[in-house]
Amino acid sequence: MSFLGYTEKISAGDLVIVCRGYERMFAVKIESGAVTQVKGGAVHHDGLIGKTFGSKVYTSNGNNWVIVFHPTPELWTLTLPHRTQIIYTPDASMISLQLDLRPGSKVIESGTGSGGLSHSLARSVAPNGHLYTYEFHDQRAALAREEFRGHGLSEVVTLECRDVCTRGFGLTDTVDAVFLDLPNPWLAVQHAKEAIKVTGGRLCSFSPCIEQVQRTVKELLSSGFTDIDTVECLLRPFDVHPHSLSVPNIGGAESVSRLVRPTLSTQSLYTAQPTTKKIPGHTGFLTFATLPHKQ
Ligand SMILES: C[S@@+](CC[C@H](N)C(=O)[O-])C[C@H]1O[C@@H](n2cnc3c(N)ncnc32)[C@H](O)[C@@H]1O
């Protein structure tokens, strides 16, 4: 099992996403002989081994069921153990798009944190690109490194335990893009400039507070970055439903003039309204910039 590819059948040692509905999902490592308790029953891992990902599996008492999915960066974001605040899918997709990430890109990320975004960045640049990710907290770095190894990301991801604000990234003219999720990103802007390829590249900084954005933009401008844009990604989902309505059929002008009694017909009309489900609010501001060339 790897987050970078897809295998059809579940094997011992795989990480799988056990799902009882969108709100009830968790990640489980499959081990021969192990049992996972879910609401209303138990799921025996031996019964999952050899099954196709996406299968619906009944608990041992037959009272309940789960669906077992192949992991993806999106499902991992919803189930990962939080060691820090993480980047969610709407921001992650905007980051990959705006940093112009594609297979073969080289990208820097700091801090690694819970490794949530790392999975998404690694998938964008795989199989021949690379993610260099930096985290100065020893324990977080060790846990993320272990997860990357277990999730089949080792070929594409290098994690270094390092303070990037004081020591930089240790790379010169190497990467296409830099992503910063740091409390003081302005301290890493010069180091990012050093690491970005001589032919230019993109930078993104994620900050929850506008004061952080202001300091970062000031530093970006004085460092020669251009095309500076700050956005906030807010999802506004809509519910679109069909409604059956009785509509009088009054015919054309001729039938009206002859006072034909109108008949009723049933029509299906679609209405669209903002969803009433809980919508995630402000996560942070994303500031994007281009380094056109090095001064
Ligand atoms: C909010 S978390 C990043 C979360 C990550 N984007 C995710 O999706 O899981 C910020 C991380 O940056 C790390 N950090 C803060 N300052 C740092 C620095 N100067 N150098 C390296 N890491 C740093 C923190 O230890 C923390 O783990």
Side-chain angles (χ1 to χ4, degrees):
M1 184 286 305
S2 161
F3 274 69
L4 303 181
Y6 183 74
T7 34
E8 212 185 313
K9 306 270 185 207
I10 301 168
S11 306
D14 281 353
L15 180 88
V16 302
I17 309 294
V18 175
C19 176
R20 269 289 294 151
Y22 192 69
E23 305 283 335
R24 281 177 285 168
M25 265 192 258
F26 53 95
V28 176
K29 189 168 176 192
I30 299 297
E31 287 168 56
S32 189
V35 178
T36 294
Q37 296 295 334
V38 296
K39 199 174 172 200
V43 177
H44 290 263
H45 291 204
D46 287 342
L48 296 179
I49 294 169
K51 282 238 158 48
T52 307
F53 277 106
S55 296
K56 184 174 180 178
V57 180
Y58 281 86
T59 51
S60 49
N61 58 12
N63 289 343
N64 219 331
W65 53 265
V66 294
I67 296 180
V68 185
F69 288 122
H70 196 285
T72 64
E74 291 72 26
L75 292 176
W76 182 239
T77 293
L78 297 172
T79 53
L80 62 78
H82 281 227
R83 301 182 281 271
T84 61
Q85 183 58 266
I86 64 162
I87 301 279
Y88 288 94
T89 304
D91 287 321
S93 53
M94 182 63 104
I95 292 163
S96 275
L97 175 86
Q98 287 285 344
L99 291 184
D100 200 16
L101 298 184
R102 59 187 86 178
S105 300
K106 290 183 178 164
V107 57
I108 279 174
E109 172 198 35
S110 188
T112 315
S114 306
L117 182 71
S118 316
H119 285 70
S120 167
L121 297 178
R123 184 187 53 187
S124 295
V125 304
N128 49 347
H130 208 82
L131 168 66
Y132 303 89
T133 183
Y134 299 82
E135 170 59 55
F136 74 177
H137 187 287
D138 289 343
Q139 212 184 349
R140 277 182 212 149
L143 288 167
R145 191 176 284 117
E146 192 48 35
E147 275 171 4
F148 297 155
R149 197 193 52 73
H151 297 174
L153 301 179
S154 303
E155 295 282 298
V156 179
V157 181
T158 304
L159 188 151
E160 199 176 326
C161 188
R162 183 183 182 105
D163 183 336
V164 300
C165 292
T166 56
R167 295 182 54 216
F169 301 103
L171 297 171
T172 306
D173 299 338
T174 305
V175 299
D176 303 285
V178 173
F179 173 74
L180 304 174
D181 183 358
L182 297 168
N184 40 12
W186 54 92
L187 296 179
V189 166
Q190 276 302 321
H191 302 304
K193 183 175 172 180
E194 156 106 24
I196 288 175
K197 278 181 182 160
V198 75
T199 46
R202 292 278 284 164
L203 179 144
C204 174
S205 175
F206 174 92
S207 294
C209 304
I210 201 69
E211 291 78 6
Q212 294 167 297
V213 174
Q214 288 162 335
R215 289 190 71 168
T216 307
V217 168
K218 186 171 173 222
E219 185 60 30
L220 287 169
L221 282 170
S222 64
S223 303
F225 283 84
T226 60
D227 305 327
I228 300 172
D229 282 319
T230 297
V231 300
E232 182 187 25
C233 291
L234 294 176
L235 269 192
R236 191 162 177 238
F238 276 73
D239 290 324
V240 180
H241 291 302
H243 292 279
S244 292
L245 289 181
S246 294
V247 181
N249 178 7
I250 58 171
E254 193 188 335
S255 55
V256 173
S257 66
R258 284 195 207 146
L259 295 175
V260 175
R261 199 183 164 85
T263 55
L264 287 179
S265 68
T266 304
Q267 282 187 18
S268 231
L269 296 178
Y270 281 78
T271 59
Q273 286 181 324
T275 182
T276 49
K277 276 187 276 189
K278 209 172 119 233
I279 303 169
H282 174 78
T283 52
F285 300 102
L286 291 169
T287 297
F288 296 99
T290 300
L291 185 66
H293 52 80
K294 295 204 180 174
Q295 292 148 344

